């Protein structure tokens, strides 16, 4: 088999690996995807438990992500949107902040909320307007510092930061110190302002399923754990091998990628735990995210207020996330009682502990890390771009384009030196 007609092997069937495989397939290149687990999706999967659809950790799809709009059929996913705003619970106080252009009847919610000063609200409006107006390329080129330093440089008070930005971003970035790159913050803020957040009607697992369905039958092999990679070949746990590949793309999670490719830097990972409860009826009655300014939890939402399809029996499904790894459901329920009222009739369905949910992105954060490692080896994943579905999908496309460029380059020009950076 000539190299041009040999398959490209993609290790990992998460969003980045599937996106890479789809781009290669649609360019006419044969591809094989090897996945260690029993299903596609990586960190983006959905389980069905007692008729409820439980995503593996609270996740949402942001329709403002450019790559999601480019590569996914959002209409087919039937995205059920949440309200474009927040309910903020402090110590016995609830405040509402909504995007006025999406929810005109709540246009005065932010100005009249007790969070921050009029100057703070003007600063937040200026940040939002700037991030909406600037192209993403300009935001990516901005000065990089921590998000906390950035917000203070804009003149935002600690009261506004602690009352709104810190608790909201804790659920997005999975850290409360606002240590994340300010360039990442602005890119995320732009996407939130431009798009809607929601979930596919039948769970977040429908996203990788849709990508996998665009590949020929038999392309993805499940239960195939790769333990070693080399130019043109991979070795499987148990002794099997696949060789003669045109290229090998490692699209595993960051830790596994680091073990397979010792030359790449593996970022620290943020952890989160998500608790699912079923209630006889919705304790809220509207599809809006609730964030906790006290820090006892990160956020909570009644998923079935937006997506009734997440429950088969008409009950309400509540998702609650806490930073870190914990199993303390009674403590979480105590806080939920303070937010929603009586929870004694709620059924605890499941707890998902996700120790490696999101790569840490402190400054200076390289928004584009190399995907070409030389010698026919490539890498992709959200740790090569931004830690998000957008970053995973983009890095998959970038890796596919690098493979295609090298396959069509004269042999003498193909790269053979392994890059020595992240």
């Amino acid at each position: 088999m000539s190299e041009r007609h040999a398959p490209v092997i993609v290790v990992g069937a998460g969003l980045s690996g599937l996106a890479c495989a789809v781009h290669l397939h649609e360019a006419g290149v044969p591809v094989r995807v090897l996945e260690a687990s029993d299903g596609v999706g990586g960190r983006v999967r959905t389980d069905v438990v007692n008729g409820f659809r439980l995503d593996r950790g609270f996740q949402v799809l942001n329709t403002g992500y450019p790559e999601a709009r480019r590569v996914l059929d959002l209409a087919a996913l039937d995205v059920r949107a949440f309200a474009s705003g927040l309910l903020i619970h402090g110590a016995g106080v609830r405040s509402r902040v909504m995007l006025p252009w999406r929810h005109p009847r709540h246009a005065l919610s932010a100005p009249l909320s007790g969070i921050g000063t009029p100057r703070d609200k003007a600063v937040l409006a200026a940040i939002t307007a700037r991030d909406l107006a600037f192209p993403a390329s300009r935001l990516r080129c901005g000065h990089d510092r921590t998000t906390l330093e950035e917000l203070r440089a804009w003149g935002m008070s600690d009261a506004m930061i602690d009352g709104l930005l810190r608790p909201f971003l804790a659920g997005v970035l999975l850290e409360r110190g606002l240590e994340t790159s300010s360039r990442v913050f602005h890119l995320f803020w732009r996407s939130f302002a431009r798009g809607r957040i929601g979930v596919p009607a039948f769970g977040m697992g429908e996203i990788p399923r849709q990508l996998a369905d665009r590949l020929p039958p038999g392309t993805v092999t499940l239960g195939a754990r790769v333990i070693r990679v080399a130019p043109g070949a991979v070795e499987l746990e148990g002794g099997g091998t696949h060789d003669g590949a045109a290229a090998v793309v490692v699209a595993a999670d960051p830790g596994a990628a680091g073990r397979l490719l010792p030359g790449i830097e593996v970022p620290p990972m943020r952890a989160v735990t998500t608790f699912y409860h079923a209630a006889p009826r919705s304790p809220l009655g509207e599809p809006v995210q609730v964030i906790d300014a006290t820090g006892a939890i990160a956020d909570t939402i009644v998923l079935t207020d937006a997506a009734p399809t997440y429950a088969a029996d008409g009950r309400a499904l509540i998702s609650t996330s806490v930073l870190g790894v914990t199993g303390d459901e009674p403590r979480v329920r105590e806080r939920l009682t303070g937010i929603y009222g009586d929870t004694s009739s709620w059924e605890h369905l499941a707890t998902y502990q996700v120790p490696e949910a999101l790569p840490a992105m402190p400054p200076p954060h390289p928004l584009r890390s190399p995907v070409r490692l030389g010698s026919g080896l490539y890498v992709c994943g959200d740790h090569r771009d931004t830690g998000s579905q957008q970053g995973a999908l983009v890095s998959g496309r970038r890796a596919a384009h690098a493979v295609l460029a090298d396959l069509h380059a004269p042999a003498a020009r193909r790269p053979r030196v392994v890059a020595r950076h992240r």
Side-chain angles (χ1 to χ4, degrees):
M1 180 181 294
S2 68
E3 185 181 54
R4 182 159 299 181
H5 293 91
V8 172
I9 294 177
V10 177
V11 180
L15 293 187
S16 61
L18 291 171
C20 179
V22 166
H23 287 293
L24 290 170
H25 166 66
E26 294 181 350
V29 174
V31 62
R32 295 198 63 179
V33 181
L34 305 177
E35 167 57 41
S37 73
D38 61 355
V40 301
R43 284 170 269 163
V44 184
R45 294 188 56 182
T46 303
D47 299 321
V48 178
V49 177
N50 297 335
F52 291 90
R53 295 183 182 272
L54 309 183
D55 298 323
R56 295 190 179 182
F58 174 57
Q59 305 170 54
V60 295
L61 175 62
N62 188 328
T63 63
Y65 284 152
E67 197 69 13
R69 302 176 70 88
R70 181 179 294 115
V71 75
L72 300 176
D73 184 342
L74 297 180
L77 289 173
D78 190 10
V79 178
R80 306 298 177 90
F82 303 133
S84 296
L86 303 164
L87 293 180
I88 304 103
H89 267 263
V93 177
R94 175 189 287 187
S95 301
R96 180 186 295 270
V97 177
M98 311 294 283
L99 292 184
W101 59 89
R102 296 261 171 75
H103 303 281
R105 71 188 183 95
H106 293 301
L108 296 178
S109 63
L112 295 180
S113 73
I115 302 173
T117 66
R119 172 182 168 78
D120 286 326
K121 292 158 187 174
V123 167
L124 190 59
I127 291 174
T128 304
R130 197 284 299 261
D131 289 353
L132 281 171
F134 280 13
S137 57
R138 187 166 176 182
L139 297 178
R140 285 195 292 267
C141 294
H143 175 68
D144 207 13
R145 51 190 165 194
T146 69
T147 297
L148 180 60
E149 291 169 338
E150 176 75 354
L151 295 174
R152 285 176 172 166
W154 275 80
M156 191 171 290
S157 73
D158 286 346
M160 184 67 161
I161 292 171
D162 294 338
L164 176 61
L165 275 300
R166 191 186 302 278
F168 168 62
L169 292 172
V172 177
L173 304 172
L174 304 186
E175 54 98 356
R176 290 191 181 276
L178 299 178
E179 303 157 359
T180 298
S181 155
S182 58
R183 293 189 297 171
V184 171
F185 158 71
H186 283 297
L187 289 169
F188 280 12
W189 196 255
R190 180 177 187 266
S191 293
F192 282 119
R194 288 167 62 94
R196 304 289 296 266
I197 63 168
V199 291
F202 294 100
M204 290 293 290
E206 292 301 299
I207 299 172
R209 189 189 309 276
Q210 184 184 96
L211 290 172
D213 285 348
R214 290 165 60 180
L215 299 170
T219 297
V220 180
T221 301
L222 301 177
R225 183 177 300 278
V226 174
I227 60 173
R228 189 171 293 106
V229 299
V234 302
E235 181 181 345
L236 301 176
E237 188 175 66
T241 61
H242 291 277
D243 53 22
V248 175
V249 182
V250 175
D253 63 79
R259 290 189 292 272
L260 293 171
L261 301 166
I264 70 168
E265 181 182 344
V266 178
M269 299 294 287
R270 307 291 190 191
V272 68
T273 302
T274 298
F275 297 83
Y276 285 104
H277 293 91
R281 64 191 63 83
S282 172
L284 193 59
E286 60 175 318
V288 63
Q289 185 178 12
V290 180
I291 61 174
D292 184 12
T294 72
I297 63 173
D299 53 51
T300 178
I301 192 165
V302 184
L303 287 166
T304 43
D305 281 345
T309 44
Y310 265 56
D313 61 4
R315 286 189 289 170
L317 176 64
I318 300 97
S319 166
T320 304
S321 293
V322 179
L323 300 191
V325 174
T326 178
D328 194 353
E329 190 271 342
R331 178 173 176 271
V332 170
R333 188 185 289 257
E334 180 182 2
R335 182 57 184 143
L336 293 177
T337 299
I339 293 173
Y340 292 120
D342 183 19
T343 63
S344 60
S345 63
W346 290 18
E347 177 188 355
H348 176 215
L349 295 171
T351 298
Y352 285 87
Q353 298 174 335
V354 190
E356 297 185 345
L358 189 72
M361 296 174 282
H365 181 68
L367 296 175
R368 292 289 185 270
S369 295
V371 294
R372 180 189 283 111
L373 303 181
S375 299
L377 292 176
Y378 305 80
V379 61
C380 61
D382 61 359
H383 57 107
R384 312 309 290 173
D385 284 75
T386 56
S388 62
Q389 295 154 23
Q390 164 77 6
L393 294 171
V394 167
S395 76
R397 171 169 55 83
R398 290 174 55 223
H401 286 180
V403 171
L404 292 170
D406 293 345
L407 290 182
H408 290 90
R413 290 172 45 205
R414 294 178 191 169
R416 296 296 179 186
V417 178
V418 176
R420 290 179 56 83
H421 38 107
R422 183 181 169 210

